[in-house]
Amino acid sequence: MTLSSAPTPRVAVIGAGPAGLMAAEALAARGLAVEVFDAMPSVGRKFLLAGKGGLNLTHSEPAAPFLARYGRGAQALAPFVEAFGNDALRAWSAGLGIDTFVGSSGRVFPTDMKAAPLLRAWLQRLRAAGVTLSMRHRWTGWAAPDRHVLAFDTPAGPAGREVDAVVLALGGGSWRRLGSDGTWVPLLEARGVPVAPLRPSNCGFHVAPAWTALFRERHAGEPVKTVALSFEGFRQAGEFVVTETGIEGNLVYAASAALRDAIDTHGRATFHLDLLPGRTAEWVAAEVAHPRGSRSLSTHLKSRLGLQGVKAGLLNELVSKADMHDPAVLAARIKALPVTVDAARPLDEAISSAGGVRFDGLDAGLGVRAVPGLFAAGEMLDWEAPTGGYLLTACFATGRAAGNAAADWLLSRA
């Protein structure tokens, strides 16, 4: 459908992260006038931080296991991720002149590993399409409840903008200093939009009881490598880091949703670490039981099993003295060391957040049922995913879907 001679509909996209920019791109491609607003001084700050150690754009998994990574949000996200999944995202990146490759873990990265070149190319294309960017514009709600007259705080003082439709892509509640502060929650709730509480995701945890002073002094900040974590049907190998208060790192993040939910329900959660995932329980038992003569237990574990440093420290911290000197029990603990956590680290420290605008308050195109002409996308929706490219993929996919749905809504009314 083409636009009539009437004035071109104007759309505000609030949030200049991947979801917002993708919505803007979709809207501009449909011939609409698009202005992107963001409270930060520059575009894509969290996106750039995510790419600081190498931009993990997406993952190469087949569709079914890929979607399963979204857990309870998989069904709601399926139409959007299926329409713009990992292959489509890689093709889109290539269209910007940024080729990608699949790493050994199946994760997908730009060939130069950097986020900045992709963002620069993308912004150049958006500006060429007529998209305008208004930075340092913090959205504070609606100035007129019956129309989309938006209110902003700007360096020059309060400002307003009347538009025909709005796409919100304001992020979740983590990384406040980069703009994802969750201040949009009461603004939407006041308009009758159902919002699930924001909670930390891909986060660290406090251990219970707390680490002893000796263990903290020796091992805080150390990585625990080549272990496997098991919890309620979840099992994954990887590594994590000991912190002053507990644990964090990729392996912990992968289990964080299940651990957080168990803590919310029971007050604590106990998972098990396999300190030697490449060895069978029988081999470990035989090596632990091997006569050690006059050697100390620590020397025995180091020479026979290669357990030393932080792994040995974890055993001494979490296994009683009596059990440390019972070969059968010690062998069992090496293969399944119980670790109890009783609280997630604060939301602002989390890599991402769970909760947000509930899907039962949205239509099939991510339109907000309670506010016609309002659409939502990205991490501010009620879903979560582990790191590994899944977070960014869903942000891109929902941003594209919301932009197209907003265009459909406007053009159907033209």
Side-chain angles (χ1 to χ4, degrees):
M1 182 176 181
T2 59
L3 291 171
S4 68
S5 58
T8 302
R10 296 162 298 171
V11 187
V13 176
I14 306 178
L21 295 180
M22 186 58 81
E25 182 169 87
L27 286 158
R30 304 286 292 277
L32 301 169
V34 185
E35 186 171 5
V36 178
F37 300 88
D38 198 281
M40 294 290 104
S42 58
V43 171
R45 291 202 161 193
K46 192 173 180 182
F47 179 70
L48 291 172
L49 181 66
K52 190 173 182 180
L55 179 65
N56 182 194
L57 191 62
T58 187
H59 201 285
S60 61
E61 275 183 325
F66 191 102
L67 270 173
R69 299 289 186 176
Y70 297 101
R72 287 173 297 189
Q75 183 175 358
L77 288 172
F80 315 117
V81 174
E82 288 171 353
F84 195 78
N86 46 15
D87 289 339
L89 185 51
R90 295 185 70 186
W92 171 86
S93 179
L96 288 172
I98 307 297
D99 292 329
T100 57
F101 73 95
V102 180
S104 59
S105 64
R107 299 182 181 201
V108 175
F109 301 89
T111 52
D112 65 1
M113 300 293 288
K114 298 176 181 178
L118 186 152
L119 184 59
R120 283 196 298 269
W122 194 8
L123 290 175
Q124 183 177 1
R125 187 162 76 183
L126 288 171
R127 290 189 177 103
V131 174
T132 59
L133 302 171
S134 295
M135 298 294 101
R136 294 187 174 92
H137 278 61
R138 180 176 295 278
W139 180 58
T140 58
W142 287 268
D146 57 336
R147 307 194 317 278
H148 286 303
V149 182
L150 304 173
F152 297 93
D153 281 341
T154 76
R161 194 81 91 249
E162 183 166 7
V163 295
D164 299 295
V166 180
V167 177
L168 298 179
L170 289 157
S174 62
W175 294 93
R176 177 178 295 270
R177 65 185 177 86
L178 299 178
S180 297
D181 57 12
T183 55
W184 52 265
V185 172
L187 299 177
L188 294 191
E189 289 181 329
R191 298 295 299 269
V193 181
V195 180
L198 298 179
R199 300 186 293 164
S201 182
N202 292 297
C203 56
F205 292 88
H206 292 267
V207 294
W211 300 131
T212 61
L214 179 62
F215 182 79
R216 287 199 309 271
E217 291 167 6
R218 288 182 175 178
H219 301 297
E222 282 194 57
V224 184
K225 298 184 177 182
T226 321
V227 293
L229 188 155
S230 300
F231 181 71
E232 294 185 348
F234 171 93
R235 181 178 171 86
Q236 184 170 312
E239 62 183 73
F240 66 93
V241 176
V242 170
T243 68
E244 290 281 341
T245 61
I247 54 173
E248 65 179 22
N250 288 339
L251 184 56
V252 174
Y253 300 156
S256 64
L259 293 172
R260 182 203 62 224
D261 290 349
I263 291 170
D264 287 347
T265 301
H266 306 292
R268 58 180 49 209
T270 299
F271 62 87
H272 290 85
L273 286 178
D274 184 345
L275 299 179
L276 295 173
R279 297 292 191 177
T280 66
E282 293 76 16
W283 183 90
V284 171
E287 292 300 306
V288 172
H290 190 279
R292 59 187 174 95
S294 61
R295 293 186 304 175
S296 67
L297 179 58
S298 61
T299 300
H300 179 67
L301 294 177
K302 178 180 179 179
S303 63
R304 301 296 305 186
L305 294 93
L307 288 173
Q308 57 184 318
V310 66
K311 285 187 178 182
L314 283 167
L315 283 173
N316 284 303
E317 183 78 357
L318 299 172
V319 179
S320 70
K321 287 185 178 181
D323 287 345
M324 285 291 289
H325 289 87
D326 183 323
V329 175
L330 178 56
R333 295 290 183 269
I334 290 169
K335 292 296 290 179
L337 181 66
V339 182
T340 298
V341 291
D342 64 357
R345 292 294 296 168
L347 176 59
D348 193 46
E349 294 181 14
I351 289 178
S352 59
S353 58
V357 177
R358 290 185 358 216
F359 284 97
D360 59 6
L362 302 171
D363 63 25
L366 300 177
V368 177
R369 298 184 192 278
V371 186
L374 179 66
F375 300 79
E379 199 182 331
M380 68 182 295
L381 303 179
D382 185 16
W383 60 274
E384 62 181 311
T387 57
Y390 309 103
L391 288 164
L392 275 177
T393 301
C395 286
F396 280 107
T398 56
R400 177 178 178 272
N404 279 321
D408 289 343
W409 185 82
L410 285 167
L411 295 175
S412 70
R413 294 158 58 88

